[in-house]
Amino acid sequence: QAAAFIKLFTGSIIPLHASLPGLTWISSSLMFSNNSQIRYVWPHKWNFGKILYMWIRYYSITLLIFDVTQIHLFSRPGITSDTSDALSNCVAMDSIIRVVSAILLWLIEIVMQLHIYTLYNRSWKVAMINFFLFMGSIAGFTWILVHNALRRHAIIAAAIHLPLPGCPSIHSGIEWAQWVPATAFEGVLVCWALYKTMSTLLIQWHNGSKVSLYSLILCYNLFYFSGIACLIVFNNLMVIGITKIPWFSYSPFHAAMEIITSHMIINLYKAHQETWQWHLSLLDNGLINSLDSALE
């Protein structure tokens, strides 16, 4: 029993200390990228892409603040004491954390779907395939969430009386499958990006043409897609226990996904602006040369 208590206590104390670095990380990212955001994102007109960017960026910060607040609030003595209210609070908060985390992931996956839609020349067929798979992943997530929530009360009831700094961190049942639908859908998106990138690069290599800006963007997109997929897979492996790394809360994952996504979008805005300025400079030079020729 002592070993079990130590394991539960460690599982509760680690998220308490790991949540703050996540908030610090995302706050630092916002501070250091603020100039780029003002320069490349804000001048653009409001559209769906810009709304998604702003939503992801500031929702993520709000989510990290919520993570830190609820973890530290529930660690206070008396919040998770041996009462029926404590059990209900822990069960409810466990589901809430997963839902608000899923919202961030779904927003990011919408951005990724828009990328795939653009890469495949605005193919509605590709878009509809991804849309139905996306809705299927949401349905799978919801079913697993409800299934686990209905059984969570009985799972943590035996440990709620222990003097733990927070709710008991116990993974059981099919909780390991909570993020499997999202991971599977993420794998599909990575395959779309990988196929498009490899086919484009092979065609350019076969034709002996130079690497274009479009190819660089494809490679960057593939790096972004793979980064998000690796984060989700690592999250799943931690829940299952394969990594032998103690669970350190969702905060670092939230911060990492937001930072990768926001920087990717900023770089796309930057590439668009610099390309547009390059075209304008070519146009200006052409007009100047035409005027010089006319004056001569």
Side-chain angles (χ1 to χ4, degrees):
Q1 291 183 352
F5 172 74
I6 293 174
K7 183 178 180 180
L8 285 174
F9 187 87
T10 303
S12 298
I13 202 70
I14 290 177
L16 190 66
H17 295 288
S19 58
L20 281 173
L23 180 59
T24 304
W25 187 17
I26 198 172
S27 301
S28 301
S29 173
L30 176 62
M31 181 178 64
F32 287 116
S33 63
N34 192 50
N35 290 336
S36 297
Q37 176 178 286
I38 294 173
R39 180 178 179 182
Y40 299 114
V41 180
W42 286 10
H44 283 261
K45 295 181 180 180
W46 284 97
N47 52 33
F48 186 62
K50 186 175 180 179
I51 292 173
L52 270 178
Y53 168 79
M54 293 295 183
W55 193 356
I56 290 173
R57 167 135 280 198
Y58 295 104
Y59 176 80
S60 301
I61 296 174
T62 305
L63 182 56
L64 264 294
I65 295 174
F66 171 77
D67 284 340
V68 173
T69 302
Q70 69 87 13
I71 288 175
H72 285 77
L73 179 63
F74 273 61
S75 67
R76 298 180 62 184
I79 301 296
T80 58
S81 56
D82 189 11
T83 63
S84 59
D85 289 339
L87 273 172
S88 300
N89 291 337
C90 286
V91 172
M93 186 55 64
D94 184 78
S95 299
I96 291 172
I97 292 171
R98 282 166 170 74
V99 170
V100 295
S101 300
I103 291 174
L104 174 61
L105 178 59
W106 293 335
L107 289 172
I108 292 174
E109 287 183 339
I110 290 174
V111 172
M112 299 173 77
Q113 289 180 75
L114 291 175
H115 276 266
I116 297 298
Y117 173 67
T118 304
L119 292 178
Y120 283 83
N121 298 320
R122 299 183 179 182
S123 171
W124 279 102
K125 182 179 180 180
V126 172
M128 292 307 296
I129 291 174
N130 287 333
F131 174 76
F132 284 114
L133 292 176
F134 178 58
M135 297 306 296
S137 70
I138 294 177
F141 172 89
T142 304
W143 184 86
I144 296 171
L145 178 71
V146 173
H147 181 275
N148 289 332
L150 293 175
R151 291 156 178 78
R152 185 71 178 169
H153 190 284
I155 292 173
I156 66 174
I160 198 68
H161 68 281
L162 298 174
L164 300 173
C167 296
S169 180
I170 302 175
H171 301 288
S172 60
I174 61 170
E175 187 177 349
W176 59 270
Q178 183 67 79
W179 301 101
V180 169
T183 305
F185 179 62
E186 194 71 29
V188 172
L189 295 177
V190 171
C191 289
W192 282 116
L194 179 62
Y195 174 78
K196 189 65 175 180
T197 302
M198 296 305 298
S199 60
T200 302
L201 292 177
L202 285 174
I203 291 173
Q204 290 185 349
W205 175 76
H206 183 266
N207 296 334
S209 57
K210 296 181 179 180
V211 177
S212 62
L213 176 62
Y214 177 70
S215 300
L216 294 177
I217 292 176
L218 283 176
C219 294
Y220 186 73
N221 280 337
L222 182 60
F223 172 76
Y224 160 66
F225 278 45
S226 301
I228 296 295
C230 289
L231 284 173
I232 299 176
V233 170
F234 184 62
N235 175 55
N236 278 326
L237 294 178
M238 284 188 66
V239 173
I240 297 173
I242 293 179
T243 61
K244 304 301 181 182
I245 300 175
W247 175 252
F248 48 67
S249 82
Y250 287 107
S251 296
F253 292 104
H254 294 158
M257 288 194 296
E258 187 280 331
I259 290 171
I260 293 175
T261 303
S262 61
H263 281 263
M264 181 275 301
I265 296 176
I266 289 175
N267 285 335
L268 287 179
Y269 273 109
K270 180 180 179 181
H272 176 269
Q273 181 171 321
E274 291 180 350
T275 304
W276 177 249
Q277 290 175 349
W278 179 71
H279 283 299
L280 287 179
S281 65
L282 289 180
L283 180 61
D284 291 340
N285 290 334
L287 290 174
I288 292 172
N289 292 333
S290 299
L291 288 173
D292 290 341
S293 300
L295 291 174
E296 291 176 356

